[in-house]
Amino acid sequence: SHAGTMIAFVNNIADAVEKECPNGTIETLAYQYTRKPPKTIRPRANVMPCLCTIECDFSFPITSSAFKENRAFLDDIRGWGAICKRIYIWDYTTNFREYNSPFPNVLALQDNVKFFRDNRVEFLFEQGAYQGRHGDFAELKAWLLAKWLWNPDLPQEPLLQDFFQGYYGAAAPYVRTYFDALHSYYRDPANRPLRIFDDSRHTLLTNDFYARANTLWHQAEAAVKDDPARLYNVRMGGLPVLNVRLQRQ
């Protein structure tokens, strides 16, 4: 594969670096065209490939989705695990086409972290909506991943309840209803995959869904109208719905 050329080059660099930095590690991307592991050449012990999940479906855990790119990723990570001491993963948690659009991947996050842990991954980078504030459930995703990167086995539902109650206060029931409805749209394996460059104008989510969602966010605002901090959180949390409704007009 193309990774053979890459690893041959990186191995030479790693050999030279090791003479001055015997405890150093050289990381190199196994990204798109270099993600398929090489057939014969092997990374040196001080070389660590970084696999990226950019092509995957994120509506389900990587191991559960039938999407062809997920199946290919599974083959590749296991292939690298067979020839490397350790692996780095660059994972994605948002829609990079537009941060302020719904991206219902929360229910896949924990199982993905567990899968990475169980497949020789020592370093995990979870890239979210870092260039803008208040992406779709960005605060929730960051908080959950902070918990699971320490302990991937923490139960999901108590964490969700803790966050919704703490972050949204009296508005929590309305936001949770929206959250559950949003994620339910992508839980049918027969549906189209959820990918990180989807156009929110052309997804599974219907205009009727967004009309109901808009009502829920207005109810959430009313519930915390006298709580300035939670009111701000609710208003920012509802931006993805407003964004898509405006685009579809």
Side-chain angles (χ1 to χ4, degrees), residues 183-197:
H183 282 76
S184 71
Y185 263 78
Y186 280 86
R187 302 311 285 174
D188 183 347
N191 285 337
R192 64 190 294 178
L194 179 69
R195 308 188 72 186
I196 65 170
F197 295 109

Side-chain angles (χ1 to χ4, degrees), residues 132-150:
R133 300 172 67 185
H134 307 297
D136 177 63
F137 284 116
E139 297 82 8
L140 170 62
K141 294 172 188 179
W143 189 81
L144 288 172
L145 287 166
K147 297 288 187 179
W148 287 328
L149 289 175
W150 283 109

Side-chain angles (χ1 to χ4, degrees), residues 27 35 55 67 69 85 105 128 132 152 171 189-190 192 216 237 244:
E27 177 261 321
R35 201 188 70 200
E55 302 95 347
F67 186 52
E69 296 292 354
K85 292 179 61 177
N105 65 327
R192 64 190 294 178
L216 285 169
V244 178

Side-chain angles (χ1 to χ4, degrees), residues 118-238:
D118 296 341
N119 281 271
R120 309 190 74 170
V121 173
E122 291 191 14
F123 297 86
L124 176 56
F125 171 37
E126 298 285 2
Q127 185 179 5
Y130 71 104
Q131 291 169 311
R133 300 172 67 185
H134 307 297
D136 177 63
F137 284 116
E139 297 82 8
L140 170 62
K141 294 172 188 179
W143 189 81
L144 288 172
L145 287 166
K147 297 288 187 179
W148 287 328
L149 289 175
W150 283 109
N151 180 1
D153 298 312
L154 290 175
Q156 175 178 267
E157 184 55 32
L159 292 178
L160 288 173
Q161 292 181 14
D162 188 13
F163 182 89
F164 277 99
Q165 189 56 49
Y167 195 72
Y168 297 111
Y174 303 104
V175 181
R176 183 61 191 269
T177 298
Y178 164 77
F179 173 89
D180 291 338
L182 173 64
H183 282 76
S184 71
Y185 263 78
Y186 280 86
R187 302 311 285 174
D188 183 347
N191 285 337
R192 64 190 294 178
L194 179 69
R195 308 188 72 186
I196 65 170
F197 295 109
D198 283 347
D199 186 338
S200 60
R201 295 170 297 176
H202 309 293
T203 66
L204 288 175
L205 301 170
T206 65
N207 289 337
D208 286 343
F209 167 82
Y210 281 111
R212 295 194 302 273
N214 189 57
T215 298
L216 285 169
W217 283 106
H218 280 301
Q219 291 173 322
E221 284 193 35
V224 291
K225 60 181 174 49
D226 298 320
D227 183 346
R230 267 61 175 270
L231 179 59
Y232 177 84
N233 294 343
V234 167
R235 284 180 168 170
M236 296 303 102

